[in-house]
Amino acid sequence: MAQSTSGGVQSLQRAFDLLEGLADAGGEASLSELASSSGLPMPTIHRLIRTLVSLGYVRQHTNRRYALGSRLIRLGENAGRQFGTWTRPLLAELVEEVGETANLAVLENDEVVYVAQVPSRHSMRMFTEVGRRLLPHGTGVGKAMLATLPAQEVRELLRRTGMPAYTPNTYGDPEKLLPHLAEIARRGYALDESEQEIGVRCIAVPIFGTATPAAISVSGPETRLTDEVVERVAPIVRRVAEAVSETLRSG
């Protein structure tokens, strides 16, 4: 295999570029679309795609379009668990400082997946099982992540998932959610106002520099997370999210 100018293996680099190109295209594309987006010659793309198909990292549909393969799921799940492991000390610092449960979640296959949690010391505290999956429109972490995406990408995601209500407060109309996401992007954090569970409030901030959208949050009873507490806690959550992002950049 040819060496790239950076000293890496060029064929391997190109294969990952194609996988990322498929991801950027929404998980599916034709060979001509991949050629257009990557700038690679068609024979090179065909050879690499054929190899990725044989390994299970790409699958071919009957219409001759190509999609991300199921073998990537195991890699993503394990990477998510590792991500959760090394961020736990930062989540623990967040709990120590704000006194409420801290969570880390990623966006995977259009769903929010909780990959780490450090619980509050309060006897009445929030608990979300690690590995739990929810739709992003109904969670603080989900809205924080959606707010970092282009509006058209959000529309397409919502069209695929629908917007079922977890509570009467859950957003159910994309035309109402999209302006709300723009407000979150301006403010720098999202609030879950009993949208996933009645009586629970959540402050969530996106993490930048990850391969897939991610966010951290603190959650607790709305009786404790009052407006005054939110004003105090939101900058702390943002600081920890920035620390995670900085660690990713430096690593």
Side-chain angles (χ1 to χ4, degrees):
M1 290 186 289
Q3 297 289 316
S4 72
T5 56
S6 63
V9 179
Q10 188 180 62
S11 295
L12 186 59
Q13 179 180 323
R14 287 175 168 179
F16 277 103
D17 285 344
L18 290 180
L19 290 173
E20 291 187 3
L22 281 172
D24 291 341
E28 179 182 310
S30 66
L31 287 180
S32 60
E33 289 168 344
L34 289 172
S36 176
S37 63
S38 69
L40 294 174
M42 186 66 76
T44 299
I45 291 177
H46 192 268
R47 183 176 67 252
L48 292 171
I49 284 289
R50 189 168 62 240
T51 301
L52 290 169
V53 168
S54 70
L55 294 173
Y57 295 114
V58 171
R59 67 181 189 276
Q60 184 179 17
H61 292 319
T62 54
N63 62 3
R64 302 186 65 80
R65 291 175 67 82
Y66 292 87
L68 296 174
S70 60
R71 198 166 181 185
L72 291 168
I73 296 173
R74 182 173 66 88
L75 297 181
E77 288 177 344
N78 279 281
R81 284 195 289 270
Q82 289 299 313
F83 183 33
T85 298
W86 71 256
T87 53
R88 277 185 62 85
L90 288 169
L91 294 181
E93 290 179 18
L94 186 55
V95 172
E96 187 69 26
E97 193 162 356
V98 306
E100 300 293 350
T101 296
N103 310 281
L104 170 69
V106 299
L107 190 63
E108 181 181 279
N109 295 327
D110 293 344
E111 294 178 311
V112 166
V113 183
Y114 289 87
V115 295
Q117 181 180 84
V118 176
S120 163
R121 295 179 181 177
H122 290 289
S123 57
M124 185 172 72
R125 58 180 180 262
M126 302 304 103
F127 176 79
T128 300
E129 182 181 0
V130 171
R132 186 182 183 191
R133 292 175 174 266
L134 293 166
L135 295 180
H137 72 283
T139 67
V141 284
K143 292 193 300 179
M145 290 186 270
L146 292 181
T148 68
L149 302 177
Q152 186 55 37
E153 192 171 332
V154 174
R155 287 182 187 276
E156 291 169 0
L157 183 151
L158 296 175
R159 189 159 45 244
R160 291 191 298 268
T161 63
M163 298 180 70
Y166 292 121
T167 75
N169 296 332
T170 308
Y171 279 86
D173 181 351
E175 299 310 317
K176 293 183 179 178
L177 179 60
L178 285 167
H180 178 58
L181 296 178
E183 178 188 349
I184 290 170
R186 287 192 298 270
R187 187 173 57 198
Y189 64 91
L191 288 177
D192 174 348
E193 305 276 18
S194 293
E195 295 161 50
Q196 179 189 335
E197 186 177 344
I198 292 294
V200 175
R201 207 173 195 194
C202 171
I203 308 164
V205 176
I207 297 170
F208 296 97
T210 55
T212 186
I216 63 171
S217 69
V218 294
S219 55
E222 58 187 10
T223 52
R224 286 203 304 261
L225 283 179
T226 62
D227 290 344
E228 292 77 12
V229 172
V230 168
E231 288 293 319
R232 177 180 62 83
V233 167
I236 299 172
V237 183
R238 291 182 67 177
R239 189 187 73 228
V240 174
E242 288 167 3
V244 175
S245 299
E246 181 60 33
T247 301
L248 287 170
R249 286 193 293 268
S250 61

